[in-house]
Amino acid sequence: MATMLDLVSFLVLLSSVCCREPQPAQENVSPIVNMQLDSRKKMLSWNYIRNVSEQECVIYTPLGSPTSQLPQVAEDDTHYCIFRNHVLHRGANLTVNVTCDGNVFQELLAFANPGMEGSGAMNFSCFIYNVRFMNCSWAPGSRAPADVCYQLFWWASLHEDEVECPHYIMNSEGMRVGCHFNQLGEPQNMDNYFFLVNGTSRTAAIPFLDFVPFQAYKIEKYDPPTNITITYNRSHHIIKWDNPEIRYDLSSYVLYYELDIQRAGGSSKTKHVFQRGQDPNVYLMPSSAASVESTFRARVRYVYNDLWSEWSPTVLFGLPEEREPRGARFDVVVWATAVPALLLMCLCKRRFYRSHKLFPPIPQVKKEITGALMPTLEVTWDDGHPPPGSQEPEDVLMVEETW
């Protein structure tokens, strides 16, 4: 009986061994586990269950070339790669390639941006202005539902949490199409801004829109040039201006100026002049090139972007006497000579008048008064006697010449 029981036990054990599925060898199992993608940070992460000798991560995007890099290791022994210069809203394939125990393993993660095609935001742009403010704008997708609500998130570092737009800008239909940031904090020359626009709707899923990092110093729209002065040295008009205040500490040579000089009221116009920034900013214009009432204005941008500042206030310059014809110049010379002579005559007359008042001429006796004072030549005598007080008459001897 005991022999029979032993035989049955042996047969059961043999049956269980024969029917068990074969287990794969440990060296044929991929050491890569927990592979996942954080689409906001663009970070692919995973763990290993065995040691590996070689490793790399690769990203494939529809409009970009494949890019590979060496993984980094976090404090919790998680390996990761960050593809900050790629966009994911068009979808992507990401792989991790490793060598373990002499065998090569590859794990693939296919990422798709969920949502209805054509409903996400488009035409996104941002610019900094007045040193500390920033505006961003976008347009609704061509197939966006009427009730779509877009949200903008931004952050300055991959290690920071995202912040939602503080002040949304609405269009005439009440849809969010922009964002205003009224305080950017203290500037750093290596500032990189990350943006993500997603959306929600009751009728459809809305895909997100992401971007490569925005280098902050390249998206600043400057204020117009300041302190414009124009002086004249008889041969040139000397035009000077100051660089605008900017957010970042950059060389003045990265500024790019457009100078607009026009002849007011004339049919011919001076071509615009383009000049790199310098210290000081000077432009010399020959006097022969400027007409009466010429005008000057300027604007500026960063040399590697297209964000022009507004135009500066227009400045009027030009000397009228430089543009008069020869006949007019002759008239000017004549007047310049005659005016001092007239002034001299007026001055002499004024002095003569003053001396006339101080030393008046002796007045002459009128004839009527003179006749009244002189004695009458014919006097009548009474009884042959002269009137009293009269002088004795003198005898007058008349001498006649005889021949």
Side-chain angles (χ1 to χ4, degrees):
M1 180 63 103
T3 303
M4 290 295 297
L5 290 175
D6 292 339
L7 180 61
V8 171
S9 299
F10 175 76
L11 292 175
V12 170
L13 179 61
L14 181 63
S15 176
S16 63
V17 172
C18 293
C19 296
R20 181 182 301 174
E21 295 181 359
Q23 297 295 324
Q26 183 71 17
E27 58 269 14
N28 293 329
V29 176
S30 173
I32 305 169
V33 296
N34 302 329
M35 189 173 173
Q36 56 186 344
L37 175 68
D38 184 336
S39 60
R40 184 191 76 85
K41 295 183 177 181
K42 304 179 183 180
M43 182 172 70
L44 178 68
S45 62
W46 66 93
N47 297 104
Y48 292 128
I49 57 176
R50 297 197 309 276
N51 292 331
V52 298
S53 56
E54 297 179 6
Q55 57 179 338
E56 69 169 356
C57 50
V58 185
I59 184 171
Y60 303 85
T61 56
L63 299 182
S65 302
T67 302
S68 64
Q69 59 180 264
L70 295 177
Q72 304 179 57
V73 184
E75 294 181 355
D76 60 354
D77 204 30
T78 296
H79 292 69
Y80 65 92
C81 289
I82 299 176
F83 302 98
R84 67 179 67 203
N85 292 320
H86 290 74
V87 296
L88 300 177
H89 63 267
R90 302 186 187 94
N93 289 324
L94 304 103
T95 63
V96 175
N97 305 316
V98 299
T99 300
C100 178
D101 299 330
N103 297 316
V104 176
F105 297 91
Q106 181 184 82
E107 290 292 328
L108 170 67
L109 188 152
F111 175 80
N113 187 6
M116 183 176 67
E117 183 179 357
S119 63
M122 55 188 297
N123 299 334
F124 183 85
S125 64
C126 292
F127 66 92
I128 298 170
Y129 68 100
N130 288 351
V131 179
R132 65 184 183 278
F133 302 133
M134 182 169 67
N135 277 358
C136 295
S137 63
W138 59 87
S142 58
R143 299 179 59 191
D147 69 337
V148 66
C149 180
Y150 293 110
Q151 294 174 296
L152 172 65
F153 296 92
W154 81 293
W155 56 98
S157 169
L158 292 175
H159 304 291
E160 297 179 5
D161 293 332
E162 68 269 20
V163 177
E164 188 175 358
C165 166
H167 305 286
Y168 282 107
I169 300 171
M170 308 290 187
N171 64 8
S172 59
E173 300 175 354
M175 185 179 297
R176 293 175 177 177
V177 293
C179 177
H180 171 69
F181 298 87
N182 57 8
Q183 188 55 258
L184 294 179
E186 292 298 321
Q188 303 292 330
N189 281 348
M190 298 305 294
D191 279 349
N192 287 319
Y193 294 156
F194 297 83
F195 297 98
L196 177 71
V197 183
N198 61 18
T200 58
S201 170
R202 293 188 298 270
T203 60
I206 308 299
F208 68 83
L209 180 65
D210 64 340
F211 318 91
V212 297
F214 284 60
Q215 293 178 283
Y217 69 90
K218 291 185 178 181
I219 62 171
E220 184 175 3
K221 180 179 179 180
Y222 302 133
D223 291 333
T226 60
N227 296 332
I228 297 174
T229 61
I230 303 178
T231 57
Y232 180 64
N233 66 357
R234 297 188 176 275
S235 63
H236 289 82
H237 294 278
I238 306 171
I239 305 174
K240 295 183 179 181
W241 64 91
D242 289 345
N243 292 323
E245 181 185 4
I246 61 178
R247 178 173 175 82
Y248 297 97
D249 185 17
L250 303 175
S251 167
S252 62
Y253 283 88
V254 303
L255 304 179
Y256 192 53
Y257 287 95
E258 181 179 4
L259 313 180
D260 178 24
I261 305 171
Q262 304 290 344
R263 295 183 176 93
S267 58
S268 61
K269 296 185 177 182
T270 303
K271 293 182 179 180
H272 289 202
V273 177
F274 296 91
Q275 179 171 302
R276 293 288 288 268
Q278 53 185 305
D279 188 20
N281 297 303
V282 179
Y283 179 73
L284 299 179
M285 184 174 183
S287 59
S288 59
S291 64
V292 179
E293 295 185 352
S294 295
T295 61
F296 173 84
R297 62 177 184 167
R299 61 179 182 171
V300 61
R301 66 173 171 86
Y302 179 65
V303 68
Y304 298 117
N305 69 24
D306 295 322
L307 293 173
W308 284 106
S309 73
E310 302 299 327
W311 286 104
S312 67
T314 300
V315 179
L316 184 68
F317 72 101
L319 300 178
E321 59 269 21
E322 296 174 358
R323 295 294 168 267
E324 296 293 338
R326 292 186 176 181
R329 290 187 178 183
F330 176 76
D331 293 340
V332 170
V333 172
V334 171
W335 277 104
T337 306
V339 169
L342 293 173
L343 292 176
L344 182 60
M345 293 176 61
C346 293
L347 181 61
C348 292
K349 185 175 181 180
R350 186 174 181 182
R351 290 185 177 179
F352 175 78
Y353 176 74
R354 288 183 177 178
S355 62
H356 186 75
K357 291 184 64 178
L358 294 176
F359 306 100
I362 300 174
Q364 300 294 324
V365 181
K366 292 184 178 181
K367 290 185 179 181
E368 293 81 359
I369 300 176
T370 305
L373 296 177
M374 293 185 66
T376 304
L377 298 178
E378 295 183 358
V379 179
T380 304
W381 291 9
D382 294 333
D383 299 332
H385 300 284
S390 63
Q391 296 180 355
E392 291 290 335
E394 297 180 356
D395 293 332
V396 177
L397 179 62
M398 298 295 293
V399 180
E400 294 183 3
E401 184 177 357
T402 60
W403 298 91

